[in-house]
Amino acid sequence: MAEDERLREALLELQFLREREARILNDTKTLLECLEAYSTASSPGDALASIFVSLQQKTGASLSILVTLGEDKALVVTAADKAEHLEKTILAPFDVFSRSRNISDLALLGEWSGTLDLSSYAGLIVAPVSDRVALMTAKATPHAFRKDDINLVQRLSGLAAQAWRNSALAAENDLLAATISGAPTSVLISTGSGQQRSVIYANRAYETISGRQISDVVGAGVETLTASMADTEPRARLERALAKGEGGTFLVEDCRADGAAFWNEISLFPVRDLSGATRHIVTTQTDVTDRVVAAQERDRLQGRMERALAATEDAFLVLELGERVAFANSAVDLMFPAPEVSWAVGTDFDANWAAYLSACEDLPGRITSLLRVPDLFSLAQLPAGREIDLPDGRSVLLRAGLLDDGELVVSATDVTAMKSAQNLLTQRLAAIEAATDGIAVSDTEGRLIYLNSAASNLLGFEVATTGLGRKWRERYTAPPQRQAGEPFAATVQRDVDGKPLTHEITGSPLAEGGAVIVIRDITENLETEAREEDLMQELIRLQRQEAIAQLTAGVAHDFNNLLSSINGSATLIGMTNALPQDVRPHLDRIIAAGSQSAKLVSRLLDIGAGAEAEGTFELSSVLSDLRSILTTSLPERVMFRTEARESALALKGSPGTLSQVLINLALNAGDAIGSGSGHIDLSVSECAGHEARSLVVGQLKDTSRYARLAMRDDGAGMDMDTAAEVFKPYYTTKGRQGTGLGLATAALQVRAIGGGIGLDTVPGEGTTITIFWPLAPMAPLQTGALSSAKVHNSDLSGITVIVVDDDEDVRAVIATYLESQGAEVASCEDPRDAAAAIAEDPKGWSALITDYDMPIMNGGALAAEVNSVAPDLPVFVVTALAKRLSDPRLADGKAAGIFPKPVDLESLSQALAAAVKTE
């Protein structure tokens, strides 16, 4: 039994070995069939196709492809059994280059993607050739590949890769051969060595260049190539290079088969074996006749250019690749002297420039950064170049340009004179632009070709460019006429927004035609001249007014002396106890007339004088006396009425000034009523400045408060022309009966106090003149608080007084009144006597009362002399010029009091008593 078992095992093993040998024999037979098909292929492409066919026949493959690793780990199909699969991509779920695989279920490995979908195949064999190339075959039937199929795919994968590479190389060789054959350049290939070299290939371009047949040269020695060339040095060098198997490029004079000469550029390319020996020489021939002729013409023109540049004053420099000097004319060394190197051809630019900078060290100018490190390539990017200042004081314009062959051309132009002229022209143009007069240039037709800003404004153009090409005469309503080529001058007008402007225009002809036009706006000058004329007339009027004022002051002074005597005597008479009763009324009329006369004289003294802006008074103190004054001044047929006012008003200034203004207005209103009967009504109210209407004199502040005193008459009224002139000095409608000073004086006084005057008048219906008088910044006083009151007599007992006046009556009245009050009085006509008496006994006198205007010594001189010996002695001045007195010897409290004539004796007595009591 044991023997039988061993025999059975041996038979089984023998059967297994026979089956294995049969499989091996079958695999070998299959592989041999595949190799036979591969080896008998006529081309690498057919060999690769035979492998794909063998895989289909031996393994039942439906798809066979050769893939390479592309970008992003994608597999790219570089060869396939079907053309539509070429260049498609596959993204496999595993690394196909790591090892061979026989896959029966592709879906288990993961997701397949790409433009070629393999997930639908039943089986796949992958056989990598390298880490970038693999052979892949797939089966579409439900049955997977056999286990032995992978061995066949692995053995064929290397052959497939080699066939693919051979196919690509064959394609490249075919392309190269086609390129050489169809090239426009003659290509010849020779073999052998030394003198035994012979031509083995020539392309069709050889026939075109040489005019000979390919058969004439193939198989012939290389000496055939040089037989038609001229016997020159380039030919000899070419023959030596061919004999030695060396490379190089040679330009030789050659001729074609028909004898036509041409320039032949021959290049030799030796092909060497691994030992370094030259096995083949590739020779190219190119007809460069056009290029050589062009180069010769270029050289000829360059020679002419160099001769021309050598004669010019501009510097021209040509640099090879921006470094070495290829050309420099003589002006370069003159403009940028470089000792030793001197810009010679072949020298280095940096060396020349360093020598130039070194030579500039002793020059007065500064070496700028642009000079120290010149950037010529950046300069070439500036089309207009760059202007620089040289250390020798010159200015040059540098330009640079790059040529096609890499050369750099630099030019330098001396622009010193041009720059100076340009600066001068710029300064002149700036002066013209800054001129206040309009300056313009016109052509022969009068069209503007230039105008400065002033001319643009005067002619009414928004900007100067708007006026270019326009005719300047069209800008005026009545343009000046002139003959062509002749100067002209005219005064014309143009309207701007309804306002007429007057221009003075002068024109100067130009030699080439046209003219230079100068325009001046004289509108303001004419207005100024008119204003100056008005001011001159006003000055004349003021001078006349001043003369009248001086004359009036002299008359008032003398008249005041008479009134002082009259009023003083009346006062003394009234002090008599035994005065008959029937005399008392007459005495009262004398006193009233004297007081009114004194006020009229005061008005004469105020002619031409300004109003007193300081002080505060209550309006009722003026209105209470106004009626009594006007009752004797106005005709009985004219009734003056004042509107009653319950509350008091405190006003700025002096009550006498306002009284004078109102009297002037009332007297003029009476004259306007004429010979008939009429009424003059005065109404009083308050208002703010912005409420004023029809203001013809002065200016009011909008927020300030004013007393509004409106005086209305029912006289003849005024027309508009008369109303416009009525407040001007010396204007009168009364002829010789009027002076023209009443309303003018009122206007001066109201304007001086800061008030205004309004005027409303209608011819035939009457006139209303309203005075706006500023209120005082204080609470209004009670009615009548500032009204005149009875003044009690002063006790002057024990007081010694000297009275000085050149008018005896005035002295007597003052002395008699002061004595009646208890004073001891000494009077004298000559002020020198008074000065001597006080100097003799300074302590013996209580006060000095003196006139001011005296022939021997005026009151100021007397006060100064007395003050030197008795500085504490009170000095009182009585003068008709009290309001005009400005003697510094009496100012700033040096005089104890200044009283106007006719003097108020009671006020003088009270001031004397107060001064002595203070002492």
Side-chain angles (χ1 to χ4, degrees), residues 154-425:
Q154 286 177 333
R155 288 183 172 90
L156 295 180
S157 64
L159 296 176
Q162 184 62 43
W164 169 65
R165 295 189 187 96
N166 293 340
S167 177
L169 182 59
E172 290 179 3
N173 290 336
D174 292 343
L175 177 62
L176 180 61
T179 301
I180 294 174
S181 177
T185 302
S186 170
V187 178
L188 299 98
I189 301 175
S190 59
T191 187
S193 61
Q195 299 299 326
Q196 284 73 40
R197 294 188 188 280
S198 59
V199 178
I200 62 173
Y201 172 82
N203 66 352
R204 290 189 299 272
Y206 170 77
E207 296 180 344
T208 304
I209 292 178
S210 67
R212 300 175 178 86
Q213 298 298 317
I214 295 177
S215 59
D216 295 339
V217 69
V218 174
V222 293
E223 65 272 8
T224 305
L225 301 179
T226 61
S228 58
M229 299 178 184
D231 189 10
T232 58
E233 175 57 27
R235 173 183 174 177
R237 289 190 292 107
L238 173 61
E239 291 175 341
R240 288 194 296 269
L242 285 170
K244 294 180 179 180
E246 296 176 348
T249 300
F250 309 89
L251 181 62
V252 295
E253 299 178 57
D254 204 347
C255 63
R256 295 184 175 90
D258 59 2
F262 72 100
W263 286 94
N264 193 355
E265 186 177 69
I266 298 177
S267 297
L268 302 181
F269 303 95
V271 180
R272 307 180 190 278
D273 58 15
L274 296 178
S275 64
T278 301
R279 305 301 300 173
H280 298 84
I281 294 180
V282 179
T283 304
T284 63
Q285 294 179 324
T286 306
D287 184 353
V288 293
T289 304
D290 292 341
R291 191 185 76 186
V292 172
V293 172
Q296 292 173 345
E297 180 64 16
R298 181 197 64 190
D299 294 340
R300 185 180 67 82
L301 293 177
Q302 183 175 355
R304 292 180 57 185
M305 181 190 70
E306 291 179 355
R307 290 191 296 273
L309 293 179
T312 184
E313 294 181 355
D314 291 347
F316 284 90
L317 177 67
V318 180
L319 300 175
E320 294 178 347
L321 301 178
E323 296 180 358
R324 304 191 70 80
V325 177
F327 169 79
N329 65 349
S330 58
V332 174
D333 196 50
L334 292 175
M335 192 172 295
F336 305 99
E340 298 181 1
V341 283
S342 300
W343 299 100
V345 175
T347 58
D348 187 69
F349 171 81
D350 291 338
N352 283 278
W353 197 253
Y356 165 68
L357 294 179
S358 178
C360 292
E361 294 294 340
D362 297 333
L363 295 178
R366 184 172 62 91
I367 300 176
T368 63
S369 58
L370 291 176
L371 278 176
R372 190 166 298 282
V373 184
D375 189 350
L376 300 181
F377 288 98
S378 296
L379 181 64
Q381 306 303 316
L382 303 175
R386 176 182 289 133
E387 185 178 304
I388 62 173
D389 296 325
L390 302 183
D392 60 3
R394 289 181 296 173
S395 296
V396 297
L397 177 63
L398 289 181
R399 295 188 182 92
L402 282 172
L403 302 181
D404 294 339
D405 56 1
E407 290 185 339
L408 185 67
V409 179
V410 184
S411 67
T413 304
D414 189 343
V415 295
T416 306
M418 183 179 67
K419 186 176 179 181
S420 299
Q422 184 179 7
N423 290 338
L424 180 60
L425 181 61

Side-chain angles (χ1 to χ4, degrees), residues 420-433:
S420 299
Q422 184 179 7
N423 290 338
L424 180 60
L425 181 61
T426 301
Q427 293 172 1
R428 291 178 177 176
L429 184 60
I432 291 175
E433 283 295 324

Side-chain angles (χ1 to χ4, degrees), residues 465-509:
T465 53
T466 307
L468 297 179
R470 304 283 294 276
K471 292 185 177 182
W472 65 269
R473 288 185 178 84
E474 296 176 351
R475 312 301 290 181
Y476 296 98
T477 54
Q481 301 298 323
R482 73 177 184 91
Q483 295 295 327
E486 295 183 0
F488 67 93
T491 300
V492 293
Q493 285 189 336
R494 65 183 304 266
D495 292 334
V496 177
D497 297 332
K499 178 183 178 182
L501 299 179
T502 304
H503 291 176
E504 183 181 74
I505 300 180
T506 59
S508 302

Side-chain angles (χ1 to χ4, degrees), residues 29 33 87 113 181 191 297 331 395 598 635 656 717 793 798 818 868 911-912:
K29 181 180 178 181
E33 290 175 353
E87 302 300 329
S113 61
S181 177
T191 187
E297 180 64 16
S395 296
N793 294 339
L818 295 181
S868 64
L912 182 61

Side-chain angles (χ1 to χ4, degrees), residues 729-791:
Y730 307 110
Y731 179 83
T732 179
T733 60
K734 305 173 187 176
R736 295 185 177 181
Q737 296 181 355
T739 63
L741 295 175
L743 293 181
T745 302
L748 289 173
Q749 291 172 325
V750 171
R751 187 183 292 110
I753 199 64
I757 301 178
L759 175 62
D760 292 298
T761 181
V762 179
E765 296 185 9
T767 299
T768 299
I769 297 179
T770 306
I771 304 298
F772 295 93
W773 196 278
L775 296 178
M778 59 183 291
L781 301 176
Q782 296 297 323
T783 304
L786 297 180
S787 61
S788 58
K790 181 70 176 177
V791 179

